Amino acid sequence: MKSQKIYLATFSDHPEETIRKYGIGIEFNQFCISTALDPERIDRTLAYMEKQAGECGLLTTEGRIDPDQAVIHGPFTELYPQAIDPEARAFAMRRFNQAYEGCRRLGIRRMVVHSGLAPQIYFDVWHVKQSVIFWKKFMEDKPEDFRLYIENVMDPDPRPLLEIAEKLDDPRIRLCLDIGHANACGLPEFPPAEWVRILGPHIGHFHFHNNDGSSDQHNPITEGSIDISVIMDAIKTYCDPDVTITVESRDCESSVRWLKEREEQKITNG
């Protein structure tokens, strides 16, 4: 990696202070609960996000959110792109399109979405086939500069995500690897660094947090069973140099500081 762009999730403790202090970007979480996108609430949601970006020092001279410094986490509550019921898929499509319209109004061009896999319900073959159909349809009318990142959550195995990315074969669609989810939900034969190796160049964005492997704890990145240095080395080996990272640790400052110091060391050492 020639350089690492770092972002901070807004559900973290006091994100505005950390973003300003370290000069990093923002990943907005206001769309995660999909009711924030309801017609009677969306104007208030967007106004709050613009205000928060201003408090973080992320507005352009024209008073708009700097699109290079912002990512939006899309909605995920009861949204299943591979749902068996077509009415459920239609509902998911409507919510994701509402989120896209919110991105457009804010001038933000990147959105993270969950894969929606519930492994106890959906077979891998169905999940892959229906996910490809769903995301192709979603992206039909989206512009060339819009980027969608599909994130693992309860996915136990990286290979279905790899198959989805390969079958979509769309440069606008990449993967978001959440290393904390991979550690807590992945099968033992797939530790987080192996997810990086397998998904490699299909990854455009990362979510960084740590845990002890038993649950999704969103600890600081050095507090858990994931060796972050191993992950960083794997990213350098297997991923494109333009990948970005969002810190999703609730207690976030030590995680951001660790990544910034690592970035500075790389620049110093050439």
PDB file of all heavy atoms in Angstrom, residues 2-4 6 21-22 256-270:
ATOM      1  N   LYS A   2       0.674   2.084  -0.983  1.00  0.00           N
ATOM      2  CA  LYS A   2       1.421   3.329  -1.033  1.00  0.00           C
ATOM      3  C   LYS A   2       0.932   4.289   0.029  1.00  0.00           C
ATOM      4  O   LYS A   2       1.695   5.053   0.592  1.00  0.00           O
ATOM      5  CB  LYS A   2       1.281   3.955  -2.426  1.00  0.00           C
ATOM      6  CG  LYS A   2       1.890   3.113  -3.534  1.00  0.00           C
ATOM      7  CD  LYS A   2       1.629   3.744  -4.872  1.00  0.00           C
ATOM      8  CE  LYS A   2       2.182   2.860  -5.991  1.00  0.00           C
ATOM      9  NZ  LYS A   2       1.850   3.387  -7.325  1.00  0.00           N
ATOM     10  N   SER A   3      -0.376   4.287   0.275  1.00  0.00           N
ATOM     11  CA  SER A   3      -0.919   5.162   1.302  1.00  0.00           C
ATOM     12  C   SER A   3      -2.225   4.582   1.767  1.00  0.00           C
ATOM     13  O   SER A   3      -2.855   3.815   1.064  1.00  0.00           O
ATOM     14  CB  SER A   3      -1.046   6.564   0.747  1.00  0.00           C
ATOM     15  OG  SER A   3      -2.333   7.040   0.751  1.00  0.00           O
ATOM     16  N   GLN A   4      -2.608   4.896   2.993  1.00  0.00           N
ATOM     17  CA  GLN A   4      -3.802   4.300   3.573  1.00  0.00           C
ATOM     18  C   GLN A   4      -4.777   5.404   3.914  1.00  0.00           C
ATOM     19  O   GLN A   4      -4.451   6.277   4.707  1.00  0.00           O
ATOM     20  CB  GLN A   4      -3.435   3.544   4.850  1.00  0.00           C
ATOM     21  CG  GLN A   4      -4.462   2.546   5.245  1.00  0.00           C
ATOM     22  CD  GLN A   4      -4.370   1.313   4.368  1.00  0.00           C
ATOM     23  OE1 GLN A   4      -3.393   0.603   4.431  1.00  0.00           O
ATOM     24  NE2 GLN A   4      -5.366   1.065   3.560  1.00  0.00           N
ATOM     25  N   ILE A   6      -7.887   6.515   5.938  1.00  0.00           N
ATOM     26  CA  ILE A   6      -8.516   6.040   7.161  1.00  0.00           C
ATOM     27  C   ILE A   6      -9.789   6.837   7.420  1.00  0.00           C
ATOM     28  O   ILE A   6      -9.817   8.060   7.256  1.00  0.00           O
ATOM     29  CB  ILE A   6      -7.546   6.178   8.354  1.00  0.00           C
ATOM     30  CG1 ILE A   6      -6.249   5.415   8.079  1.00  0.00           C
ATOM     31  CG2 ILE A   6      -8.199   5.671   9.647  1.00  0.00           C
ATOM     32  CD1 ILE A   6      -5.140   5.730   9.058  1.00  0.00           C
ATOM     33  N   LYS A  21      -8.884  15.571  15.207  1.00  0.00           N
ATOM     34  CA  LYS A  21      -7.533  15.469  15.761  1.00  0.00           C
ATOM     35  C   LYS A  21      -6.566  14.805  14.784  1.00  0.00           C
ATOM     36  O   LYS A  21      -5.416  15.237  14.643  1.00  0.00           O
ATOM     37  CB  LYS A  21      -7.567  14.686  17.073  1.00  0.00           C
ATOM     38  CG  LYS A  21      -6.204  14.522  17.730  1.00  0.00           C
ATOM     39  CD  LYS A  21      -6.337  13.828  19.085  1.00  0.00           C
ATOM     40  CE  LYS A  21      -4.977  13.638  19.748  1.00  0.00           C
ATOM     41  NZ  LYS A  21      -5.104  12.987  21.084  1.00  0.00           N
ATOM     42  N   TYR A  22      -7.030  13.760  14.082  1.00  0.00           N
ATOM     43  CA  TYR A  22      -6.127  12.982  13.241  1.00  0.00           C
ATOM     44  C   TYR A  22      -6.295  13.272  11.746  1.00  0.00           C
ATOM     45  O   TYR A  22      -5.580  12.686  10.927  1.00  0.00           O
ATOM     46  CB  TYR A  22      -6.324  11.487  13.517  1.00  0.00           C
ATOM     47  CG  TYR A  22      -5.835  11.099  14.901  1.00  0.00           C
ATOM     48  CD1 TYR A  22      -6.710  11.054  15.984  1.00  0.00           C
ATOM     49  CD2 TYR A  22      -4.500  10.805  15.135  1.00  0.00           C
ATOM     50  CE1 TYR A  22      -6.268  10.716  17.251  1.00  0.00           C
ATOM     51  CE2 TYR A  22      -4.042  10.456  16.392  1.00  0.00           C
ATOM     52  CZ  TYR A  22      -4.939  10.419  17.452  1.00  0.00           C
ATOM     53  OH  TYR A  22      -4.483  10.090  18.714  1.00  0.00           O
ATOM     54  N   VAL A 256      -7.254   4.469  15.807  1.00  0.00           N
ATOM     55  CA  VAL A 256      -6.875   5.444  14.780  1.00  0.00           C
ATOM     56  C   VAL A 256      -5.404   5.812  14.931  1.00  0.00           C
ATOM     57  O   VAL A 256      -4.663   5.885  13.940  1.00  0.00           O
ATOM     58  CB  VAL A 256      -7.772   6.697  14.867  1.00  0.00           C
ATOM     59  CG1 VAL A 256      -7.258   7.791  13.936  1.00  0.00           C
ATOM     60  CG2 VAL A 256      -9.219   6.339  14.530  1.00  0.00           C
ATOM     61  N   ARG A 257      -4.975   6.025  16.172  1.00  0.00           N
ATOM     62  CA  ARG A 257      -3.573   6.388  16.409  1.00  0.00           C
ATOM     63  C   ARG A 257      -2.639   5.286  15.909  1.00  0.00           C
ATOM     64  O   ARG A 257      -1.625   5.572  15.264  1.00  0.00           O
ATOM     65  CB  ARG A 257      -3.356   6.658  17.896  1.00  0.00           C
ATOM     66  CG  ARG A 257      -1.927   7.136  18.204  1.00  0.00           C
ATOM     67  CD  ARG A 257      -1.805   7.610  19.642  1.00  0.00           C
ATOM     68  NE  ARG A 257      -2.102   6.571  20.603  1.00  0.00           N
ATOM     69  CZ  ARG A 257      -3.190   6.565  21.389  1.00  0.00           C
ATOM     70  NH1 ARG A 257      -4.071   7.537  21.336  1.00  0.00           N
ATOM     71  NH2 ARG A 257      -3.385   5.564  22.240  1.00  0.00           N
ATOM     72  N   TRP A 258      -2.974   4.029  16.172  1.00  0.00           N
ATOM     73  CA  TRP A 258      -2.134   2.900  15.724  1.00  0.00           C
ATOM     74  C   TRP A 258      -2.002   2.903  14.210  1.00  0.00           C
ATOM     75  O   TRP A 258      -0.907   2.752  13.668  1.00  0.00           O
ATOM     76  CB  TRP A 258      -2.755   1.592  16.205  1.00  0.00           C
ATOM     77  CG  TRP A 258      -1.878   0.375  16.040  1.00  0.00           C
ATOM     78  CD1 TRP A 258      -1.080  -0.200  16.988  1.00  0.00           C
ATOM     79  CD2 TRP A 258      -1.711  -0.425  14.861  1.00  0.00           C
ATOM     80  NE1 TRP A 258      -0.438  -1.299  16.484  1.00  0.00           N
ATOM     81  CE2 TRP A 258      -0.807  -1.470  15.171  1.00  0.00           C
ATOM     82  CE3 TRP A 258      -2.242  -0.369  13.567  1.00  0.00           C
ATOM     83  CZ2 TRP A 258      -0.424  -2.439  14.251  1.00  0.00           C
ATOM     84  CZ3 TRP A 258      -1.854  -1.334  12.638  1.00  0.00           C
ATOM     85  CH2 TRP A 258      -0.963  -2.343  12.983  1.00  0.00           C
ATOM     86  N   LEU A 259      -3.121   3.095  13.497  1.00  0.00           N
ATOM     87  CA  LEU A 259      -3.094   3.088  12.035  1.00  0.00           C
ATOM     88  C   LEU A 259      -2.339   4.293  11.481  1.00  0.00           C
ATOM     89  O   LEU A 259      -1.583   4.166  10.506  1.00  0.00           O
ATOM     90  CB  LEU A 259      -4.524   3.067  11.482  1.00  0.00           C
ATOM     91  CG  LEU A 259      -5.283   1.749  11.647  1.00  0.00           C
ATOM     92  CD1 LEU A 259      -6.748   1.932  11.264  1.00  0.00           C
ATOM     93  CD2 LEU A 259      -4.649   0.640  10.813  1.00  0.00           C
ATOM     94  N   LYS A 260      -2.532   5.455  12.086  1.00  0.00           N
ATOM     95  CA  LYS A 260      -1.825   6.650  11.613  1.00  0.00           C
ATOM     96  C   LYS A 260      -0.321   6.500  11.820  1.00  0.00           C
ATOM     97  O   LYS A 260       0.471   6.887  10.958  1.00  0.00           O
ATOM     98  CB  LYS A 260      -2.345   7.890  12.333  1.00  0.00           C
ATOM     99  CG  LYS A 260      -3.749   8.308  11.925  1.00  0.00           C
ATOM    100  CD  LYS A 260      -3.804   8.860  10.510  1.00  0.00           C
ATOM    101  CE  LYS A 260      -3.210  10.242  10.419  1.00  0.00           C
ATOM    102  NZ  LYS A 260      -3.384  10.822   9.060  1.00  0.00           N
ATOM    103  N   GLU A 261       0.087   5.955  12.955  1.00  0.00           N
ATOM    104  CA  GLU A 261       1.515   5.756  13.203  1.00  0.00           C
ATOM    105  C   GLU A 261       2.101   4.748  12.221  1.00  0.00           C
ATOM    106  O   GLU A 261       3.213   4.935  11.711  1.00  0.00           O
ATOM    107  CB  GLU A 261       1.735   5.289  14.649  1.00  0.00           C
ATOM    108  CG  GLU A 261       1.485   6.394  15.672  1.00  0.00           C
ATOM    109  CD  GLU A 261       1.556   5.900  17.102  1.00  0.00           C
ATOM    110  OE1 GLU A 261       1.679   4.665  17.299  1.00  0.00           O
ATOM    111  OE2 GLU A 261       1.472   6.736  18.023  1.00  0.00           O
ATOM    112  N   ARG A 262       1.341   3.707  11.902  1.00  0.00           N
ATOM    113  CA  ARG A 262       1.796   2.723  10.917  1.00  0.00           C
ATOM    114  C   ARG A 262       1.934   3.382   9.541  1.00  0.00           C
ATOM    115  O   ARG A 262       2.914   3.141   8.833  1.00  0.00           O
ATOM    116  CB  ARG A 262       0.782   1.582  10.860  1.00  0.00           C
ATOM    117  CG  ARG A 262       0.977   0.599   9.722  1.00  0.00           C
ATOM    118  CD  ARG A 262       1.641  -0.654  10.167  1.00  0.00           C
ATOM    119  NE  ARG A 262       1.795  -1.587   9.055  1.00  0.00           N
ATOM    120  CZ  ARG A 262       2.058  -2.867   9.188  1.00  0.00           C
ATOM    121  NH1 ARG A 262       2.200  -3.378  10.406  1.00  0.00           N
ATOM    122  NH2 ARG A 262       2.203  -3.654   8.149  1.00  0.00           N
ATOM    123  N   GLU A 263       0.966   4.202   9.190  1.00  0.00           N
ATOM    124  CA  GLU A 263       1.008   4.911   7.907  1.00  0.00           C
ATOM    125  C   GLU A 263       2.219   5.832   7.835  1.00  0.00           C
ATOM    126  O   GLU A 263       2.924   5.871   6.823  1.00  0.00           O
ATOM    127  CB  GLU A 263      -0.283   5.709   7.722  1.00  0.00           C
ATOM    128  CG  GLU A 263      -0.410   6.421   6.386  1.00  0.00           C
ATOM    129  CD  GLU A 263      -1.719   7.169   6.293  1.00  0.00           C
ATOM    130  OE1 GLU A 263      -1.987   8.005   7.161  1.00  0.00           O
ATOM    131  OE2 GLU A 263      -2.464   6.926   5.339  1.00  0.00           O
ATOM    132  N   GLU A 264       2.483   6.555   8.915  1.00  0.00           N
ATOM    133  CA  GLU A 264       3.621   7.481   8.936  1.00  0.00           C
ATOM    134  C   GLU A 264       4.945   6.735   8.844  1.00  0.00           C
ATOM    135  O   GLU A 264       5.893   7.190   8.194  1.00  0.00           O
ATOM    136  CB  GLU A 264       3.555   8.344  10.196  1.00  0.00           C
ATOM    137  CG  GLU A 264       2.406   9.370  10.154  1.00  0.00           C
ATOM    138  CD  GLU A 264       2.119   9.970  11.516  1.00  0.00           C
ATOM    139  OE1 GLU A 264       2.850   9.629  12.474  1.00  0.00           O
ATOM    140  OE2 GLU A 264       1.152  10.743  11.621  1.00  0.00           O
ATOM    141  N   GLN A 265       5.028   5.573   9.493  1.00  0.00           N
ATOM    142  CA  GLN A 265       6.244   4.771   9.420  1.00  0.00           C
ATOM    143  C   GLN A 265       6.502   4.312   7.982  1.00  0.00           C
ATOM    144  O   GLN A 265       7.649   4.310   7.517  1.00  0.00           O
ATOM    145  CB  GLN A 265       6.130   3.553  10.328  1.00  0.00           C
ATOM    146  CG  GLN A 265       6.225   3.890  11.815  1.00  0.00           C
ATOM    147  CD  GLN A 265       5.864   2.706  12.693  1.00  0.00           C
ATOM    148  OE1 GLN A 265       5.633   1.597  12.200  1.00  0.00           O
ATOM    149  NE2 GLN A 265       5.791   2.923  13.986  1.00  0.00           N
ATOM    150  N   LYS A 266       5.431   3.932   7.264  1.00  0.00           N
ATOM    151  CA  LYS A 266       5.578   3.491   5.883  1.00  0.00           C
ATOM    152  C   LYS A 266       6.092   4.610   5.000  1.00  0.00           C
ATOM    153  O   LYS A 266       6.940   4.419   4.145  1.00  0.00           O
ATOM    154  CB  LYS A 266       4.235   2.973   5.358  1.00  0.00           C
ATOM    155  CG  LYS A 266       3.913   1.564   5.789  1.00  0.00           C
ATOM    156  CD  LYS A 266       2.637   1.109   5.125  1.00  0.00           C
ATOM    157  CE  LYS A 266       2.483  -0.400   5.249  1.00  0.00           C
ATOM    158  NZ  LYS A 266       3.506  -1.148   4.540  1.00  0.00           N
ATOM    159  N   ILE A 267       5.543   5.825   5.232  1.00  0.00           N
ATOM    160  CA  ILE A 267       5.981   6.991   4.442  1.00  0.00           C
ATOM    161  C   ILE A 267       7.450   7.292   4.739  1.00  0.00           C
ATOM    162  O   ILE A 267       8.252   7.528   3.836  1.00  0.00           O
ATOM    163  CB  ILE A 267       5.088   8.205   4.744  1.00  0.00           C
ATOM    164  CG1 ILE A 267       3.664   7.948   4.224  1.00  0.00           C
ATOM    165  CG2 ILE A 267       5.666   9.466   4.102  1.00  0.00           C
ATOM    166  CD1 ILE A 267       2.653   8.972   4.668  1.00  0.00           C
ATOM    167  N   THR A 268       7.817   7.253   6.024  1.00  0.00           N
ATOM    168  CA  THR A 268       9.198   7.545   6.421  1.00  0.00           C
ATOM    169  C   THR A 268      10.193   6.539   5.858  1.00  0.00           C
ATOM    170  O   THR A 268      11.278   6.889   5.399  1.00  0.00           O
ATOM    171  CB  THR A 268       9.307   7.556   7.967  1.00  0.00           C
ATOM    172  OG1 THR A 268       8.425   8.547   8.499  1.00  0.00           O
ATOM    173  CG2 THR A 268      10.736   7.866   8.401  1.00  0.00           C
ATOM    174  N   ASN A 269       9.755   5.254   5.842  1.00  0.00           N
ATOM    175  CA  ASN A 269      10.653   4.179   5.376  1.00  0.00           C
ATOM    176  C   ASN A 269      10.589   3.983   3.869  1.00  0.00           C
ATOM    177  O   ASN A 269      11.264   3.102   3.332  1.00  0.00           O
ATOM    178  CB  ASN A 269      10.292   2.864   6.072  1.00  0.00           C
ATOM    179  CG  ASN A 269      10.519   2.950   7.580  1.00  0.00           C
ATOM    180  OD1 ASN A 269      11.355   3.715   8.042  1.00  0.00           O
ATOM    181  ND2 ASN A 269       9.767   2.156   8.343  1.00  0.00           N
ATOM    182  N   GLY A 270       9.739   4.802   3.197  1.00  0.00           N
ATOM    183  CA  GLY A 270       9.654   4.689   1.735  1.00  0.00           C
ATOM    184  C   GLY A 270       8.869   3.498   1.285  1.00  0.00           C
ATOM    185  O   GLY A 270       9.014   3.058   0.150  1.00  0.00           O
TER     186      GLY A 270
END
